[in-house]
Amino acid sequence: MAQGIPDKIMSNTALIKDLANVAKDAALLQGVLMRIHETPNSSELVTYAPFTLFPTPVPKAVFLQALAVQTHYNTLVDKISQDPGFLEEALASTIAVDDFTARLFRIHQQILKEGRSQSIVLGLNRSDYMLDQGEDGSSSLKQIEINTFAASFGGLASRTPDVHRHVLKVAGKLEESRRILDNNPAAGLAKAVAKAWELYGSERAVVMFLVEEGQRNIFDQRYIENELWKRNISTVRKRFDDVTKTGSLDQDKRLFVDDQEVAVVYFRNGYMPENYISEKTWDARLLMERSLAVKCPDISTHLAGTKKVQQVLASPGVLEKFFPDQPQVVEQIRATFTGLYTLDMGPEGEKTVAMALAAPDRFVLKPQREGGGNNIYGSEICQVLQGVKESTERTAYILMDKIHPTPVQNYLLRRDGPLKISNCLSELGVFGTYVRKGKDMVMNECAGHLLRTKSSEHSDGGVAAGVAVLDNPLLV
Ligand code: ADP
Ligand code: MG
């Protein structure tokens, strides 16, 4: 393991067993928690959120590169969200065949037609990367995707550094333990929410976390809630159903849910088609979008985070349109792009199809979905493309180069999981926050990081999907 944990520790079974127990207790003590699968809505039984026994080596230069580009990504997302012409053109082929994106797009258009009632915008993003391994052993930062909706694990990631520090100390690795970085996305995310709340300007109004039906990952959100309570900002947790039953707008379009005025709606649910169980759920989304409450994200920022938009951004000249006088910003962002290819009808899309069919292992085929487990790999790419290649259905997908990070050995600790050494791949996320009021960017910050690691057996899937686990970078 390059500059990581020496083999004599990694292969010492008795020591690893002891360290795993130490690590799990440390995670429980630090509050790296999740509710259990069986009872997602009860805190009577909780467990540690899955995590790695050891931190993972990450080259310092690429880590700093990821932090440095974040505020530019924030600006980019925000600019896209304010460019209806761009969104319409970028998403035209996709919304013709993808019902979910089309539905979101219709809300976006309706809001544009009615006029946005709130000029304050709150963005809490997470840009995710893998470090692509070059033939010379170098690694380059390549973006997997940007999440503009419900980017999670900022709360728990604020508590994992102390867990790894402790494990390393017990393992006799004091020097490495000192190299684990502080990280506090919970505070950073809350700072931006607090700013939006303050600009909304009503002491009585609350921050509403719009949460899932099954709330296994509640503690991740509680950290952000607690940071807001520390600032004497009230938070409430509501589901779509609560909004359906009790939500209303007054004559000034102020949003009330259960008789409380809502200053900020922070969506932690609503990014998957399954989240919209009926027309009433869609009505609730529309009600919130129409309201004076600050939405995180608003509907246009939600659309700015689609995979189709990501692909269009990689086309020649597109970034330049958003940053006409800032070639160095364009360069900084573009350096993090890997190959992204359109499947739109026409010669370019034909080329993409042929390329993917000829070498499917080089690519990932992605539909417009979030939450892990939706992407298509290897021979399945051929199966799917053979089925849709002659029809517009193919435009529901984008094609992307597969990124190859260097595998690193580690132990993945999860409840009921066997303690065994795994070949692992990591994904680095960087949190970005911004608040805009009208034309003024009043805040634009990088708010910390998240490292997630999974066994290389799995091509896809995040922590919530039960595949990846929480980790920390050990800068080398
Ligand atoms: P989701 O919105 O479901 O999180 P992602 O684009 O983040 O979709 O993909 C899910 C997972 O698939 C990632 O966490 C990563 O493990 C893997 N993945 C996605 N794109 C690539 C890629 N280009 N190369 C290698 N792995 C990828
Ligand atoms: Mg992802």
Side-chain angles (χ1 to χ4, degrees):
M1 177 169 176
Q3 300 176 65
I5 307 302
D7 287 346
K8 74 171 193 295
I9 294 182
M10 292 301 282
S11 59
N12 182 339
T13 328
L15 176 64
I16 292 294
K17 214 170 145 196
D18 280 351
L19 286 175
N21 287 329
V22 163
K24 290 173 193 176
D25 287 346
L28 293 168
L29 281 171
Q30 290 298 332
V32 182
L33 301 174
M34 261 190 178
R35 286 176 174 171
I36 65 168
H37 180 69
E38 296 83 340
T39 50
N41 291 327
S42 159
S43 286
E44 298 309 312
L45 290 171
V46 297
T47 185
Y48 54 90
F51 66 106
T52 57
L53 181 55
F54 298 112
T56 296
V58 170
K60 189 173 178 181
V62 275
F63 180 79
L64 295 178
Q65 184 192 352
L67 298 192
V69 74
Q70 187 54 45
T71 53
H72 300 318
Y73 265 120
N74 291 343
T75 308
L76 177 62
V77 165
D78 187 48
K79 281 175 187 266
I80 295 168
S81 78
Q82 292 176 81
D83 192 333
F86 172 80
L87 279 174
E88 185 164 2
E89 201 183 321
L91 293 171
S93 59
T94 307
I95 60 180
V97 291
D98 186 80
D99 290 342
F100 182 62
T101 314
R103 196 83 206 239
L104 296 173
F105 190 77
R106 284 214 296 280
I107 294 180
H108 159 79
Q109 277 187 311
Q110 185 159 348
I111 299 298
L112 284 177
K113 200 171 87 199
E114 292 175 9
R116 290 188 176 113
S117 37
Q118 179 54 269
S119 77
I120 304 164
V121 173
L122 166 65
L124 304 181
N125 299 324
R126 200 188 68 220
S127 181
D128 290 336
Y129 308 89
M130 278 180 167
L131 308 188
D132 200 30
Q133 186 185 12
E135 278 171 10
D136 56 355
S138 63
S139 43
S140 50
L141 186 75
K142 293 295 167 197
Q143 188 181 50
I144 296 284
E145 62 160 347
I146 189 156
N147 302 281
T148 63
F149 198 111
S152 54
F153 294 108
L156 296 184
S158 306
R159 313 302 285 219
T160 55
D162 276 339
V163 177
H164 276 151
R165 283 181 187 127
H166 184 66
V167 171
L168 289 173
K169 277 187 202 169
V170 176
K173 297 271 146 204
L174 190 61
E175 191 273 324
E176 282 83 350
S177 125
R178 290 203 184 103
R179 279 198 276 138
I180 302 285
L181 302 164
D182 282 335
N183 192 28
N184 200 347
L189 298 172
K191 183 181 167 196
V193 177
K195 188 73 195 171
W197 177 86
E198 185 192 308
L199 291 171
Y200 180 88
S202 166
E203 288 275 325
R204 300 183 305 278
V206 300
V207 174
M208 179 172 83
F209 284 53
L210 198 280
V211 299
E212 317 90 309
E213 291 298 318
Q215 302 177 43
R216 265 197 86 197
N217 200 21
I218 188 168
F219 299 105
D220 183 49
Q221 298 161 9
R222 288 287 197 210
Y223 284 115
I224 303 166
E225 291 176 40
N226 287 353
E227 292 289 336
L228 291 165
W229 282 102
K230 277 193 217 165
R231 295 165 182 260
N232 299 318
I233 297 171
S234 304
T235 71
V236 293
R237 300 175 62 81
K238 301 287 173 188
R239 304 179 199 199
F240 271 118
D241 200 36
D242 300 310
V243 180
T244 299
K245 291 198 173 116
T246 74
S248 64
L249 304 187
D250 73 3
Q251 71 276 16
D252 299 324
K253 295 202 182 171
R254 288 183 300 177
L255 174 65
F256 288 83
V257 177
D258 281 328
D259 296 325
Q260 274 174 313
E261 183 179 352
V262 177
V264 178
V265 182
Y266 175 24
F267 286 100
R268 293 290 297 241
N269 186 28
Y271 53 91
M272 295 198 266
E274 305 84 87
N275 300 148
Y276 296 83
I277 47 171
S278 72
E279 281 306 305
K280 284 193 172 140
T281 324
W282 283 110
D283 293 344
R285 175 80 191 262
L286 180 59
L287 181 85
M288 291 184 273
E289 292 298 335
R290 274 179 167 156
S291 78
L292 190 64
V294 180
K295 277 76 62 183
C296 178
D298 64 12
I299 188 73
S300 12
T301 309
H302 186 175
L303 290 170
T306 52
K307 291 175 171 74
K308 182 62 192 178
V309 164
Q310 181 187 8
Q311 178 260 302
V312 172
L313 288 174
S315 310
V318 176
L319 281 179
E320 281 80 356
K321 282 202 194 120
F322 289 106
F323 298 97
D325 310 315
Q326 293 170 286
Q328 59 311 351
V329 171
V330 168
E331 204 177 305
Q332 227 176 316
I333 294 176
R334 189 169 283 142
T336 66
F337 289 173
T338 187
L340 287 148
Y341 311 94
T342 180
L343 280 158
D344 283 357
M345 303 317 280
E348 225 190 314
E350 298 299 325
K351 221 171 95 188
T352 304
V353 171
M355 194 170 72
L357 291 177
D361 288 332
R362 280 187 42 214
F363 303 102
V364 183
L365 185 66
K366 296 191 174 186
Q368 309 304 307
R369 292 291 173 271
E370 305 289 334
N374 300 299
N375 298 335
I376 298 157
Y377 302 84
S379 57
E380 218 191 314
I381 294 184
C382 299
Q383 280 168 31
V384 172
L385 280 184
Q386 290 294 1
V388 299
K389 70 177 183 179
E390 307 297 344
S391 81
T392 54
E393 267 180 80
R394 77 184 195 200
T395 63
Y397 300 89
I398 63 153
L399 191 76
M400 183 175 187
D401 281 342
K402 194 165 175 185
I403 302 166
H404 295 280
T406 312
V408 172
Q409 295 204 317
N410 210 331
Y411 290 86
L412 307 182
L413 305 180
R414 52 162 65 90
R415 175 182 173 240
D416 300 335
L419 185 62
K420 65 168 180 31
I421 201 158
S422 305
N423 230 13
C424 296
L425 306 177
S426 299
E427 184 169 342
L428 174 68
V430 178
F431 290 97
T433 60
Y434 63 90
V435 177
R436 177 170 52 77
K437 185 175 186 197
K439 291 201 175 337
D440 295 334
M441 252 320 190
V442 282
M443 179 188 283
N444 183 2
E445 295 181 0
C446 172
H449 58 270
L450 168 74
L451 195 72
R452 290 173 301 163
T453 292
K454 65 178 165 76
S455 160
S456 58
E457 293 159 22
H458 298 281
S459 312
D460 204 309
V463 180
V467 172
V469 307
L470 303 174
D471 195 353
N472 276 290
L474 184 69
L475 297 192
V476 291

